[in-house]
Amino acid sequence: MGEFVRSERRGAVLVVTIDRPKALNALNLQVLQELEAVLADVGDARALVLTGGGEKAFVAGADIAAMAELDALTAHRFAAYGQSVLDKLEALPIPTIAAVNGFALGGGCELSMACDMTLASATAVFGQPEVKLGVIPGFGGTQRLVRRVGTQRARELCFTARNVKAEEAVAIGLALRVVAGNVVDEAVALGESIAANGPVAVQLCKRAILDNDGQPLGAALVAERQLFALCFATADQKEGMAAFLGKRKASFVGK
Ligand code: DAK
């Protein structure tokens, strides 16, 4: 367990909390390193929920005090490392859910977009305010934001640096839905509902969607049918179909 990043199992779901409330959970090098270490060992969890500690923030961005010390070379290294950690999060085999419980600004918004889905509390605020600081998004914001909300909206959000509240975040596709109650509980419930399905099939769905983003349809469909065929090499496919035909609940083993 790190100083700023902790994880706990809730059933089949691993809940990872970035907990540095004095700086509204801002991402410095140590936070990124601790997050990378947690991502490297998710055990047999079937879904991961990522959230922020404290009442106010998911993550209020990259650490501005730390960034203020960078030169061009160290800024490039910091961005490359941050991008690599977010890439690992995005490529995690199991589904990931960002439970956004307050400010998700700059690197925090980018972190939420590296997750498969985002649930927003009523107090969630998203945005890419980097241009107010004289920099551009450095952890993938100019790229993943386009994929989530489209080119025109991404341009508007990056150029204006304006904040986006929870309802609007849902309307533009930045979040899946607004949660009235506890957003982490709701994210865990979503993770548990996913965990009830065939784990290999869920993981291959993720692969099919992620690996083929932006590919021509023909090539993507070739990849999809290869992954579909792969399912037939698993015990879970046999169990899932036998359970349906036997009118009973499937018991998946993840193989
Ligand atoms: N970094 C460091 N400290 C932060 C922080 C941050 N991003 N956000 C908040 N804090 C600290 C505040 O300094 C304050 O510390 P103390 O003064 O108490 O010591 C404490 O958290 C509480 O914050 P506030 O007092 O400001 O709280 P408020 O409720 O008044 O305001 C706020 C909340 C979220 C609106 C405000 O804190 C705020 O505007 N924060 C900054 C948000 C922001 O601009 N985030 C984007 C950061 S830029 C790159 C790599 C990465 C990136 C860019 C380039 N390369 C290397 C190329 C990414 C950039 C970003 O993420």
Side-chain angles (χ1 to χ4, degrees):
M1 205 67 69
E3 183 183 357
F4 298 131
V5 181
R6 57 188 156 80
S7 60
E8 57 160 340
R9 275 295 283 270
R10 285 177 59 179
V13 180
L14 186 70
V15 179
V16 178
T17 305
I18 297 177
D19 197 9
R20 196 186 165 220
K22 277 190 193 157
L24 301 185
N25 307 325
L27 304 171
N28 62 13
L29 187 61
Q30 186 180 340
V31 173
L32 288 169
Q33 286 169 334
E34 290 182 13
L35 179 60
E36 185 180 31
V38 168
L39 297 177
D41 182 16
V42 298
D44 62 355
R46 291 191 180 176
L48 181 145
V49 167
L50 182 63
T51 194
E55 300 298 311
K56 281 179 70 174
F58 173 70
V59 165
D63 189 300
I64 298 169
M67 277 195 298
E69 305 295 319
L70 301 176
D71 58 28
L73 191 62
T74 50
H76 189 269
R77 280 192 199 130
F78 181 59
Y81 179 61
Q83 287 175 352
S84 78
V85 176
L86 269 59
D87 286 350
K88 283 180 183 166
L89 173 61
E90 185 172 64
L92 215 62
I94 56 175
T96 54
I97 303 158
V100 174
N101 53 325
F103 292 108
L105 300 175
C109 187
E110 293 166 309
L111 193 63
S112 75
M113 292 188 292
C115 293
D116 293 311
M117 291 163 282
T118 298
L119 297 187
S121 72
T123 59
V125 177
F126 299 81
Q128 297 290 162
E130 286 87 347
V131 292
K132 283 189 178 170
L133 300 166
V135 293
I136 72 166
F139 292 159
T142 63
Q143 305 307 311
R144 289 194 179 95
L145 189 60
V146 172
R147 287 164 171 76
R148 279 240 168 149
V149 305
T151 309
Q152 181 172 233
R153 181 66 71 199
R155 286 176 177 152
E156 187 237 345
L157 294 180
C158 287
F159 298 170
T160 65
R162 77 176 173 86
N163 285 346
V164 173
K165 290 186 179 164
E167 297 286 356
E168 186 188 357
V170 173
I172 64 175
L174 201 45
L176 191 60
R177 62 173 185 262
V178 183
V179 172
N182 184 297
V183 70
V184 175
D185 289 348
E186 190 86 9
V188 169
L190 177 58
E192 288 287 5
S193 76
I194 293 168
N197 298 322
V200 180
V202 169
Q203 291 186 19
L204 293 180
C205 278
K206 176 165 175 170
R207 280 262 69 80
I209 293 168
L210 190 62
D211 292 355
N212 295 293
D213 191 13
Q215 295 298 317
L217 184 61
L221 289 174
V222 169
E224 184 190 69
R225 65 180 178 253
Q226 286 168 344
L227 293 172
F228 174 76
L230 187 57
C231 297
F232 288 77
T234 67
D236 283 353
Q237 173 268 324
K238 288 168 188 54
E239 166 63 11
M241 294 189 181
F244 176 81
L245 295 172
K247 301 190 187 305
R248 62 175 171 82
K249 192 170 177 291
S251 174
F252 293 113
V253 290
K255 285 193 245 179

